[in-house]
């Protein structure tokens, strides 16, 4: 167990370092000039040069990279000269909103996905199973942002039941739902095959042979055990989830990380693009690490070799 | 973007009818019995045909802002249901929605196929080498793969794409393709490891057949199945990815028509002209659905026991 | 196929949504403040700053107008300059401006306003804080003050011991005198810009880089809270000399709200305003609703949209090429398609609201593709690639670019589009990554209603590569403009004649492609009324100011 954890920590750090490096050098290519942003469009070349000196923009690339890496270790993502705020400040302000939205979205994924998966497994190979399967595939075939737009149009606008956007308690529902609809298909399918597998297990057969009620067998023995792969997938899903959130936040004016990223892209704001990417990617890697670790503790079957 | 790659596998089992046939015959038979899969295949063929013949099929030019394509106030036209005249209405620029939809197929197919091809070329090569050569090289390659796999794909596609100052359609599929190879590399490696242990591969090695020959003639055919399935599902995913990038205005450059871009331009009009987001959304869903159903069906047909 | 599945989904979705909604609503409970005395509205972008040394945009102008004051200001019911914090006198030669502070002025923290505060504020805005790297976007506007060059020191820190410009002094208590190197007829306009607001030095020094979160001024409102990027709330500053008893108890400004969302919240009565210029999709909705139509107001403003040519290199250093593009672009079509008819044909550099506008120039380049083709031939053009650069941040910009590309292609020009997302519309020539352009979409909104702000800033050689994006260059034009700029404020008649002539030269040169003069339009709730009777609309749609919220009453609704 010990060596396993150490190895996992080591690779998590390597991965974050790789993300930092790749992100920095890609974002370095974004054509934005902080000096021009500070000084405005009327500034002369001499003024610009003096600002570049003051900001250290005239230093060699490797030096700036190391400086940035050092700042990053200390939790500082630099200063954003377009928004005139620190990058960390903006990211930390947006992150809880994204986290909250993600949480609600996962709930929707499960609320929609689990019943479908169970019904499909119980009614396996029937017309209902096939129909649900088709619907699942249709679910993953629709772009999240389109589902979001249609919810906005139908539920928000035509029916007027929910806010059309912005951060509010009820405003979380539509964006979370659009991610939930497209994401639920995976859970449905995982749960279906896991349930089918569990149903063939000896203890389920024994229970059935003993004459236990079908519903009891289903809920007490089968589903509980089938949920393990669903939980595993929750951890793996983070990256995909964030991808869905980026476009959804944009549609619903939900000012989380995705919204921030869109804003940054729209303004060619290199430091902010880099900051959001770096923060989110590292966050996902760390979350994966935590999920793995929790899994290793909880499930004795995981091998540590 | 949800990746359909964590697909837990096919579910339709049909063991009773297993007869003695060649594996390929069995697969084809299985595939054709699966109505959804056939429907998927039809959709895919249809999309490819539309993409190829879009210029002949489109009733009008998708790039032209027609002076009569907007109302007197310069606002979009409702659908006319008249094939040669703004059949599905116009967008706010007075362009013909129907023609844009048809042309949009081209970008979706091009990016879908090309990005997948690049991903497969890189991923399969790395997976094959890693799995076959093994040892330290395998270790290094797989560690790199793990790191790349941990990168959130969509974020890095956005990042990389947003720094390209003169993008083309090729930029989009190159970016997607170059970043997405880790998953297939892992799968290929696993399959290669398994195939390497097969008797006839071992005997081929024993009699001194050269490595490239073994890889191409013996190993590769054995791992084709999963790669084809994965590739088909990946096309669906890449179509979604391209549309999402275009939706965020960092996809294919102007004036290329893309479904994602159409939704982006139409989004703010949902109160007065909702069809501007309805049409392209249906188009994306159909194209993606086709590849997903096809991939799913292939998976069932090639590997009937998976998911049981 | 898809539709039946969709129905299923939407049904189940709706069920879940209702459940979730009831749960959420019971938890939340909306903010219970009385809405009657609140002016609530939104911006589609950020409020960038409350610091005058960082100010550049109209969005930030809205709160700054309420929080701060300038020495002189624009009358909210006309566009004339009137005394603000101070009364003023101008010497005969136009070189010396004397401002006398009104009595009893106080910042909202209780500190009195002194002549030293004024001097500090003006020195600060010319170069940012003294130890900073010398960069305030509007610092250039004060470059004619005596001692500016030494103080600015080419952007380097000022020489040791220097505390400000020698031309800004306080000859007596509560009096500030500003000496200019050359007479500037527009100097009072510059002193009414948001960059020239008077700040409290003790507050600036206390908070440093975070000053804008604690901004303090003399205006009728003060900052209550600012959750940057989301919402700013202002409350009355009862100690202000401009405080008015009936003013709204709160101004709540939401940031980053899509126009279409804002429209719905306006229709629901949440928002008191929908600030323009309104995008096409919102205008479409207005046209379809009689209620909205009756709440719609518009005005032609001093804002221009034009195409600049890169005149530093071939092919657009050739006048025939520039004329050809001018004839090839159908401006009326653009006005219809981009603005839904909500703009005026631009005939010259100056918009009609600016003194110096030349009424005798009428549609100098009517749409004429045939003529354009022959001019291209005359210029010897044969298919060289022409790079058209434009900001691709809105669908209207993209559409404009596409329409123009189509029109230019129709006359045989090989135009490629290059969309960028620029902050502001400058297209640096010196920057290799982006300097490779031939035609650039550009717009300009006045800083102040004076021809100098257009002709000098947008077309003089001094501004080449900056605001004169394509480096238009004509010595006669230059002469007329610089002469007129330097005339004292008393010689307005001569200035107008000079500017009119310059304007004509720029048209003859086909210096730009003159597209259109912008309108501004707003939606205003019927329960918002101007505090004073008279030119009511000016309070909402002032040509220079943002809506003057302090001058409005909120009726109960």
């Amino acid at each position: 167990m010990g060596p396993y954890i150490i190895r996992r920590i080591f690779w998590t750090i390597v991965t974050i370092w790789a993300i930092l490096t790749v992100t920095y050098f890609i974002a370095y290519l974004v054509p934005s000039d902080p000096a021009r942003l500070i000084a405005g469009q009327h500034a002369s070349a001499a003024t610009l040069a003096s600002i570049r000196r003051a900001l250290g923009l005239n230093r060699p690339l490797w030096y700036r990279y190391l400086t940035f890496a050092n700042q990053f270790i200390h939790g500082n993502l630099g200063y954003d000269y377009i928004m005139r705020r620190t990058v960390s400040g903006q990211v930390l302000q947006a992150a809880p909103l994204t986290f909250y939205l993600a949480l609600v979205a996962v709930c929707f994924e499960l609320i929609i996905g689990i019943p479908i998966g169970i019904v499909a497994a119980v009614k396996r190979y029937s017309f209902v199973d096939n129909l649900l399967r088709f619907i699942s595939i249709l679910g993953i075939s629709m772009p999240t942002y389109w589902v979001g737009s249609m919810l906005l149009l139908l539920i928000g606008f035509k029916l007027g039941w929910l806010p059309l956007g912005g951060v509010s308690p009820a405003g979380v529902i539509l964006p979370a739902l659009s991610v939930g609809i497209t994401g639920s298909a995976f859970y449905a399918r995982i749960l279906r095959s896991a349930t089918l597998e569990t149903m063939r297990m000896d203890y389920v057969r024994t229970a059935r042979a003993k004459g236990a009620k079908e519903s009891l067998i289903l809920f007490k023995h089968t589903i509980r055990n089938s949920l393990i792969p669903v939980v595993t997938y929750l951890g793996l899903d983070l990256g995909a989830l964030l991808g869905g959130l980026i476009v959804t936040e944009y549609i619903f004016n939900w000012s989380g990380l995705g919204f921030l990223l869109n804003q940054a892209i729209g303004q060619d704001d290199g430091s902010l693009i880099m900051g959001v990417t770096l923060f989110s990617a590292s966050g996902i890697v760390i979350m994966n690490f935590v999920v793995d670790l929790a899994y290793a503790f909880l499930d004795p079957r995981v091998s540590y070799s | 973007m949800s990746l359909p790659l964590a697909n837990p596998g096919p579910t339709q089992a049909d063991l009773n009818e297993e007869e003695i046939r060649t594996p390929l015959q069995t697969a084809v038979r299985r595939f054709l019995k699966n109505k959804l899969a056939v429907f998927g295949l039809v959709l895919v063929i249809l999309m490819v045909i539309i993409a190829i013949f879009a210029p002949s099929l489109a009733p009008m030019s998708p790039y032209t802002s027609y002076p009569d394509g907007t109302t007197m106030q310069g606002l979009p036209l409702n659908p006319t249901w008249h094939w040669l005249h703004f059949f599905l209405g116009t967008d706010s620029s007075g362009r013909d929605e129907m023609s844009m939809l048809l042309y949009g197929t081209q970008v979706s197919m091009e990016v879908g196929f090309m990005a997948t091809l690049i991903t497969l070329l890189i991923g399969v090569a790395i997976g094959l080498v890693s799995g076959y050569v093994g040892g330290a090289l395998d270790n290094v390659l797989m560690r790199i793969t793990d790191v790349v796999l941990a990168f959130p794909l969509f974020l890095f596609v956005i990042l990389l794409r947003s720094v390209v100052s003169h993008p083309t359609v090729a930029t989009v599929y190159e970016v997607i393709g170059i970043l997405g190879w880790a998953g297939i590399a892992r799968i290929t490696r696993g399959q290669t490891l398994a195939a390497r242990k097969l008797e006839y591969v071992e005997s081929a090695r024993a009699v001194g057949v050269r490595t490239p020959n073994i890889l191409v003639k013996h190993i590769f055919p054995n791992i084709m199945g999963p790669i084809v399935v994965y590739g088909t599902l990946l096309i669906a995913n890449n179509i979604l990815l391209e549309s999402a990038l275009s939706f965020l205005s960092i996809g294919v450059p102007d004036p290329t028509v893309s479904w994602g871009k159409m939704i982006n331009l139409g989004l703010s009009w949902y109160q007065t002209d909702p069809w501007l987001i309805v049409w392209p959304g249906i188009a994306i869903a159909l194209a993606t659905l086709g590849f997903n159903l096809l991939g799913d069906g292939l998976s069932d047909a090639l590997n009937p026991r998976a998911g049981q | 196929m898809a539709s039946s599945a969709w129905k299923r989904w939407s049904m189940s979705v709706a069920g879940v949504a209702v459940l979730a909604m009831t749960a959420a609503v019971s938890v939340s409970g909306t903010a219970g403040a009385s809405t009657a005395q609140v002016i609530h509205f939104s911006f589609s972008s950020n409020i960038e700053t409350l610091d005058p040394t960082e100010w550049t945009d109209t969005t930030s102008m809205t709160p700054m107008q309420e929080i701060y004051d300038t020495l002189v200001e624009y009358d909210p019911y006309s566009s004339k300059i009137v005394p603000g914090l101070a009364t003023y006198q101008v010497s005969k030669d136009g070189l010396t401006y004397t401002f006398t502070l009104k009595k009893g002025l106080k910042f909202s923290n209780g500190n009195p306003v002194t002549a030293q505060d004024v001097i500090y504020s003006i020195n600060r805005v010319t170069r940012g804080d003294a130890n900073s790297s010398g960069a305030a976007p509007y610092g250039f506007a004060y470059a004619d003050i005596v001692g500016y060059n030494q103080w600015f020191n080419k952007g380097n820190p000022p020489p040791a011991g220097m505390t400000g410009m020698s031309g800004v002094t306080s000859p007596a208590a509560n009096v500030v005198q500003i000496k200019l190197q050359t007479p500037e007829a527009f100097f009072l306009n510059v002193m009414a810009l948001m960059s020239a607001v008077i700040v409290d030095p003790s507050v600036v020094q206390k908070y440093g880089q975070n000053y804008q979160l604690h901004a303090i001024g003399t205006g009728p409102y003060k900052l209550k809270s600012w959750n940057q990027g989301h919402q700013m709330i202002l409350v009355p500053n009862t100690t202000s000399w401009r405080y008015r008893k009936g003013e709204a108890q709160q101004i709540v400004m939401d940031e980053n709200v899509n126009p279409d969302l804002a429209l719905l919240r306006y229709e629901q009565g949440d928002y008191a305003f929908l600030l323009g210029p309104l995008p096409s999709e919102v205008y479409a909705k207005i046209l379809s609703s009689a209620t909205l139509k009756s709440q719609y107001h518009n005005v032609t403003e001093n804002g221009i949209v034009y195409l600049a040519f890169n005149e530093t290199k071939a092919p657009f250093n050739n006048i025939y090429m520039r004329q050809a593009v001018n004839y090839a672009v159908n401006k009326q079509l653009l006005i219809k398609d981009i603005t839904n008819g909500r703009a005026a044909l631009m005939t010259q550099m100056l918009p009609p609201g600016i003194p110096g506008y030349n009424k005798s120039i009428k549609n100098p380049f009517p749409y004429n593709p045939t003529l354009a083709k022959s001019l291209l031939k005359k210029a010897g053009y044969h298919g060289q690639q022409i790079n058209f650069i434009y900001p691709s941040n809105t669908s209207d910009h993209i559409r404009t670019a596409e329409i123009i590309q189509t029109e230019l292609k129709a006359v045989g020009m090989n135009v490629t589009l290059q969309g960028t997302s620029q902050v502001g519309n400058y297209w640096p020539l010196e920057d290799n990554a982006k300097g490779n352009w031939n035609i650039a979409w550009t717009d300009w909104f006045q800083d102040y209603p004076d021809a100098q702000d257009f002709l000098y800033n947008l077309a003089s050689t001094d501004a080449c590569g900056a605001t004169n994006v394509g480096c238009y260059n004509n010595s006669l034009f230059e002469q007329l403009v610089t002469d007129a700029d330097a005339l004292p404020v008393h010689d307005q008649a001569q200035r107008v004649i000079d500017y009119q002539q310059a304007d004509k030269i720029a048209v003859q040169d086909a210096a730009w492609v003159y597209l259109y003069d912008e309108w501004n339009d707003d939606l205003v709730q019927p329960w918002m009324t101007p505090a004073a009777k008279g030119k009511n609309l000016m309070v909402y749609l002032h040509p220079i100011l943002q809506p003057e919220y302090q001058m409005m009453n909120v009726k109960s609704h």
Side-chain angles (χ1 to χ4, degrees):
Chain A
M1 192 82 182
Y4 169 76
I5 294 175
I6 291 170
R7 219 174 35 244
R8 276 303 270 117
I9 292 176
F10 173 74
W11 281 108
T12 303
I13 292 172
V14 169
T15 308
I16 292 177
W17 166 78
I19 287 174
L20 168 77
T21 309
V22 170
T23 315
Y24 186 85
F25 286 100
I26 294 179
Y28 172 75
L29 302 171
V30 174
S32 75
D33 180 355
R36 175 68 79 176
L37 295 169
I38 297 169
Q41 24 183 326
H42 300 281
S44 67
T47 313
L48 293 179
S50 105
I51 295 171
R52 287 196 189 104
R53 263 198 311 280
L55 295 177
L57 293 175
N58 52 345
R59 301 269 193 172
L61 181 58
W62 63 266
Y63 181 89
R64 287 158 59 194
Y65 165 66
L66 289 181
T67 315
F68 183 79
N70 185 41
Q71 281 179 357
F72 175 71
I73 293 168
H74 294 92
N76 178 356
L77 294 169
Y79 193 78
D80 176 356
Y81 289 99
I82 293 185
M83 306 297 284
R84 300 196 175 94
R85 298 177 61 192
T86 62
V87 174
S88 329
Q90 297 180 71
V91 166
L92 290 178
Q93 189 183 23
L97 283 172
T98 296
F99 194 75
Y100 173 52
L101 179 57
L103 217 62
V104 182
V106 168
C107 289
F108 276 123
E109 286 182 337
L110 297 178
I111 291 173
I112 302 169
I114 289 177
I116 293 181
I118 293 172
V119 171
V122 172
K123 308 258 176 192
R124 55 196 170 277
Y125 312 137
S126 70
F127 171 73
V128 177
D129 182 23
N130 273 331
L131 184 69
L132 287 177
R133 174 176 171 159
F134 175 76
I135 291 174
S136 294
I137 297 179
L138 186 66
I140 55 171
S141 300
M142 292 186 297
T144 316
Y145 63 87
W146 186 61
V147 174
S149 315
M150 296 311 286
L151 292 179
L152 184 79
L153 173 65
L154 295 175
I155 298 178
F157 179 61
K158 291 267 189 228
L159 301 175
W161 288 353
L162 286 166
L164 290 148
V167 178
S168 65
V172 73
I173 296 171
L174 287 185
L177 197 56
S178 42
V179 177
I181 288 174
T182 47
S184 61
F186 296 111
Y187 292 99
R189 304 187 65 187
I190 292 167
L191 191 65
R192 178 184 179 276
S193 50
T195 308
L196 285 180
E197 198 176 318
T198 329
M199 277 173 167
R200 277 193 298 272
M201 292 284 175
D202 285 343
Y203 61 89
V204 176
R205 291 185 178 177
T206 315
R208 190 171 282 139
K210 279 183 174 170
K213 270 216 282 203
E214 226 12 68
S215 60
L216 187 77
I217 295 172
L218 186 65
F219 286 100
K220 194 173 169 200
H221 299 290
T222 317
I223 293 174
R224 257 177 53 185
N225 289 300
S226 314
L227 285 177
I228 293 174
V230 172
V231 174
T232 319
Y233 187 68
L234 272 177
L236 295 172
D237 185 41
L238 290 170
L241 190 66
L242 186 81
L245 293 180
I246 290 173
V247 283
T248 325
E249 287 185 355
Y250 167 70
I251 296 170
F252 289 96
N253 250 41
W254 185 266
S255 40
L257 290 169
F259 188 80
L260 199 61
L261 184 63
N262 275 302
Q263 228 176 357
I265 294 169
Q267 301 176 322
D268 267 358
D269 188 341
S271 55
L272 193 53
I273 295 178
M274 180 164 68
V276 175
T277 311
L278 201 47
F279 179 86
S280 321
S282 319
I284 287 171
V285 170
I286 290 171
M287 296 262 256
N288 274 332
F289 169 70
V290 172
V291 168
D292 269 13
L293 222 55
Y295 203 61
F297 275 111
L298 294 177
D299 191 339
R301 286 176 302 180
V302 175
S303 82
Y304 310 115
S305 51
Chain B
M1 289 301 92
S2 315
L3 282 159
L5 310 177
N7 185 345
T11 44
Q12 188 134 335
D14 213 341
L15 288 172
N16 306 336
E17 302 203 4
E18 202 105 324
E19 287 167 36
I20 314 235
R21 290 196 169 86
T22 69
L24 188 65
Q25 277 175 327
T26 318
V28 171
R29 227 180 104 88
R30 275 178 180 289
F31 183 86
L32 292 178
K33 280 184 85 174
N34 183 343
K35 283 185 196 121
L36 281 181
V38 174
F39 175 62
L41 182 66
V42 171
L43 272 181
V44 166
I45 293 174
L46 204 67
M47 286 293 162
V48 172
I49 290 178
I50 291 177
I52 295 171
F53 296 104
S56 327
L57 290 170
M60 308 176 83
S61 156
Y63 308 113
T64 310
S65 298
Y66 290 95
D68 58 342
T70 49
T71 65
M72 292 307 286
Q73 281 90 14
L75 302 171
L77 290 181
N78 292 1
T80 60
W81 311 119
H82 182 293
W83 183 256
L84 289 176
H85 196 77
F86 308 125
F87 183 72
L88 295 177
T90 61
D91 73 353
S92 56
S93 312
R95 291 178 298 190
D96 181 41
E97 277 285 300
M98 185 70 217
S99 307
M100 289 171 80
L101 277 182
L102 292 171
Y103 271 81
T105 321
Q106 291 185 325
V107 166
S108 278
M109 294 301 124
E110 185 180 351
V111 174
F113 277 106
M114 291 306 291
T116 306
L117 189 67
I118 295 173
T119 299
L120 290 184
L121 282 178
I122 302 174
V124 169
I126 290 178
L128 266 180
V129 170
S130 190
Y132 189 80
V133 177
L137 183 64
D138 177 34
N139 229 326
V140 171
L141 285 178
M142 279 308 110
R143 287 287 85 79
I144 295 175
T145 307
D146 281 348
V147 171
V148 174
L149 204 56
F151 279 40
L153 178 67
F154 191 50
L155 268 180
F156 279 85
V157 169
I158 289 180
L159 182 69
L160 197 54
R161 167 57 188 80
S162 63
V163 298
V164 178
S165 53
H166 295 275
T168 61
V169 176
T171 315
V172 177
Y173 61 66
E174 282 161 13
V175 166
I176 297 176
I178 286 169
L179 291 172
W181 55 267
I184 189 65
R186 271 224 155 278
I187 293 175
T188 310
R189 173 182 174 269
Q191 295 287 329
T192 310
L193 276 180
R196 219 180 95 170
K197 296 203 181 88
L198 293 175
E199 266 175 46
Y200 68 92
V201 177
E202 295 215 322
S203 51
R205 280 211 300 186
V207 297
V209 180
R210 283 171 51 230
T211 308
N213 261 343
I214 296 179
L215 280 180
V216 173
K217 282 195 183 149
H218 301 296
I219 307 264
F220 195 64
N222 260 298
I223 60 174
M224 269 300 279
I227 294 175
V228 167
V229 171
Y230 186 94
T232 314
L233 295 174
L234 194 58
I235 292 176
N237 204 50
N238 288 339
I239 290 175
L240 283 181
L241 210 55
E242 180 279 323
S243 83
L245 287 175
S246 294
F247 175 72
L248 297 176
S249 320
I250 47 171
V252 296
D254 295 324
T256 313
V257 179
S258 150
W259 293 331
K261 223 189 303 184
M262 288 171 74
I263 297 185
N264 179 21
L265 287 177
L267 187 59
S268 52
W269 292 84
Y270 68 87
Q271 296 180 33
T272 47
D273 307 78
W275 60 83
L276 292 180
I277 51 176
V278 173
W279 305 144
I282 291 174
I284 298 172
L286 283 180
T288 321
L289 183 69
F291 284 100
N292 274 336
L293 287 175
L294 178 64
D296 214 50
L298 285 175
S299 169
D300 277 2
L302 294 171
N303 189 7
R305 278 171 180 280
Q308 287 267 318
Chain C
M1 198 80 206
S3 76
S4 75
W6 168 250
K7 223 182 227 166
R8 254 193 106 81
W9 269 112
S10 58
M11 270 158 58
S12 69
V13 157
V16 175
V18 170
L19 272 176
M21 181 179 62
T22 38
V25 167
S26 62
V27 173
S28 75
T30 48
S34 147
T35 55
Q37 279 303 306
V38 176
I39 302 181
H40 192 185
F41 56 93
S42 67
F43 300 112
S44 55
S45 61
N46 280 314
I47 298 173
E48 284 190 10
T49 185
L50 290 180
D51 185 341
T53 61
E54 292 177 343
W55 170 74
T56 55
D57 62 309
T58 49
T59 306
S60 306
M61 198 171 160
T62 302
M64 286 178 75
Q65 225 171 251
E66 307 297 339
I67 293 173
Y68 294 114
D69 291 306
T70 40
L71 295 179
V72 290
E73 60 186 36
Y74 292 100
D75 178 32
Y77 296 105
S78 68
S79 55
K80 290 206 173 73
I81 295 260
V82 293
L85 292 174
T87 55
Y88 63 92
Q89 281 179 309
V90 188
S91 66
K92 264 234 169 75
D93 57 5
L95 287 173
T96 309
Y97 286 72
T98 309
F99 299 94
T100 310
L101 286 171
K102 290 177 178 166
K103 293 226 159 63
L105 295 172
K106 271 183 183 153
F107 290 106
S108 59
N109 59 2
N111 292 347
V113 181
T114 66
Q116 290 311 315
D117 297 341
V118 174
I119 294 173
Y120 174 86
S121 300
I122 293 166
N123 280 324
R124 178 170 181 264
V125 82
T126 52
R127 58 157 302 122
D129 288 309
N131 54 355
S132 84
S133 42
Y138 266 92
F140 76 97
Y142 308 90
D144 279 336
I145 296 178
V146 171
Y148 171 87
N149 288 333
Q150 294 86 328
W151 170 240
F152 185 63
N153 200 15
K154 290 182 177 149
N156 299 310
M162 186 181 279
T163 54
M165 294 178 282
S166 54
V168 185
T169 53
S170 172
N174 289 329
V175 176
V176 174
Q177 203 168 64
I178 300 181
K179 287 211 163 73
L180 300 181
Q181 299 166 29
T182 51
E184 261 187 15
F186 53 90
F187 186 68
L188 286 175
N189 289 305
V190 170
M191 291 306 289
L193 286 175
M194 281 302 118
S195 48
V197 299
I198 306 306
V199 297
D200 182 345
S202 66
V203 179
V204 174
Q205 279 149 10
K206 184 171 168 196
Y207 292 107
Q209 219 182 12
N210 289 324
Y211 166 72
Q212 55 166 338
L213 294 174
H214 307 270
I216 290 283
T218 52
Y221 282 90
K222 58 185 178 187
L223 186 62
K224 182 184 176 223
S225 67
W226 185 14
N227 181 1
Q228 276 182 298
H230 301 272
Q231 194 178 60
M232 181 187 281
I233 300 177
L234 305 181
V235 291
N237 169 19
T238 47
T239 62
S240 168
W241 65 287
R242 271 168 69 200
Y243 173 72
R244 186 176 65 81
K245 246 198 157 161
E247 70 183 36
Q249 289 308 300
Q250 267 190 0
I251 299 179
V252 182
M253 289 162 278
D254 293 345
E255 301 173 61
N256 290 311
V257 180
N258 297 335
D260 44 305
L261 278 177
L263 174 63
L264 287 164
R265 297 197 63 179
Y266 174 87
E267 285 185 283
Q268 288 159 2
D270 284 355
Y271 286 160
F273 286 89
L274 206 58
L275 300 180
L278 301 171
S280 300
E281 62 270 17
V282 170
Y283 187 61
K285 187 89 185 287
I286 293 169
L287 287 181
S288 68
S289 152
T291 321
L292 291 177
K293 254 190 203 162
S294 69
Q295 297 164 2
Y296 174 78
H297 309 280
N298 64 43
V299 72
T300 303
E301 58 180 17
N302 296 328
I304 55 178
V305 175
Y306 62 97
L307 306 181
F309 295 111
N310 187 343
E311 295 175 36
T312 62
K313 61 176 187 180
F316 290 110
N317 49 9
N318 181 331
I319 184 170
Y320 297 131
M321 288 296 294
R322 302 198 296 267
Q323 286 174 339
V325 176
N326 258 300
Y327 283 115
V329 174
N330 185 348
K331 292 114 187 166
Q332 300 288 10
L333 180 73
L334 276 182
I335 291 173
K336 179 198 137 202
D337 274 2
I338 304 301
T339 72
N340 319 105
R342 296 173 298 154
L345 181 74
M346 182 180 173
T347 59
Q348 54 198 290
M349 284 183 170
L350 290 176
I354 300 285
Y357 174 81
N358 194 332
K359 278 199 185 102
S360 68
I361 306 172
K362 289 191 175 79
N363 199 6
F365 299 103
Y367 178 54
N368 190 341
T370 331
L371 183 53
K373 273 185 202 163
S374 68
L375 282 164
L376 284 180
K377 209 176 246 172
K378 214 160 152 190
Y381 173 82
H382 41 263
Q384 296 98 316
Q385 183 182 317
I386 288 165
N387 201 358
F388 183 114
I389 189 168
Y390 69 101
S392 52
N393 55 346
T394 73
S395 57
D396 279 352
H397 290 157
I398 297 170
R399 201 170 137 206
T400 307
E402 286 176 358
I403 292 176
I404 291 171
Q405 184 192 36
T406 311
E407 286 171 344
L408 294 184
K409 276 192 167 161
V411 297
M413 299 179 83
N414 174 17
V415 177
T416 50
L417 293 184
Q418 186 189 333
T420 65
S421 36
Q422 278 290 353
V423 181
N425 299 310
Y426 65 94
W427 316 102
L429 288 162
E430 80 271 15
D431 184 340
N432 285 330
K434 290 195 172 148
N436 184 25
W437 59 267
N438 304 102
I439 304 178
W441 184 97
T442 313
D443 67 350
W444 183 257
F445 185 78
Q446 66 170 8
D447 302 300
Y448 38 84
D450 192 280
Q452 185 268 353
D453 189 35
F454 288 80
L455 300 185
Y456 177 79
N457 279 339
L458 302 182
S460 71
T461 45
D462 287 352
C464 169
T467 41
N468 180 1
V469 288
C471 283
Y472 168 64
N473 183 0
N474 177 314
S475 51
L476 190 56
F477 173 92
E478 184 94 1
Q479 195 62 46
L480 283 164
V481 170
T482 41
D483 282 357
D485 288 351
L487 284 172
V489 69
H490 319 289
D491 282 341
Q492 185 64 11
Q494 182 57 44
R495 295 184 73 222
V496 166
I497 294 169
D498 286 356
Y499 287 133
Q500 281 178 341
Q501 220 178 326
D503 224 6
K504 194 163 192 174
I505 291 169
V507 167
Q508 284 161 354
D509 273 350
W512 303 337
V513 183
Y514 307 94
L515 297 180
Y516 49 84
D517 297 323
E518 291 180 304
W519 279 12
N520 193 9
D521 47 1
D522 283 355
L523 281 174
V524 183
Q525 296 281 11
W527 36 267
M528 294 300 304
T529 53
K533 305 260 183 265
K535 296 173 176 175
N536 292 349
L537 202 55
M538 294 287 274
V539 185
Y540 309 132
L541 287 162
H542 195 274
I544 303 131
L545 301 171
Q546 291 301 297
E548 270 284 1
Y549 300 101
Q550 193 233 347
M551 307 304 293
M552 295 174 202
N553 287 334
V554 188
K555 281 196 284 190
S556 57
H557 53 279

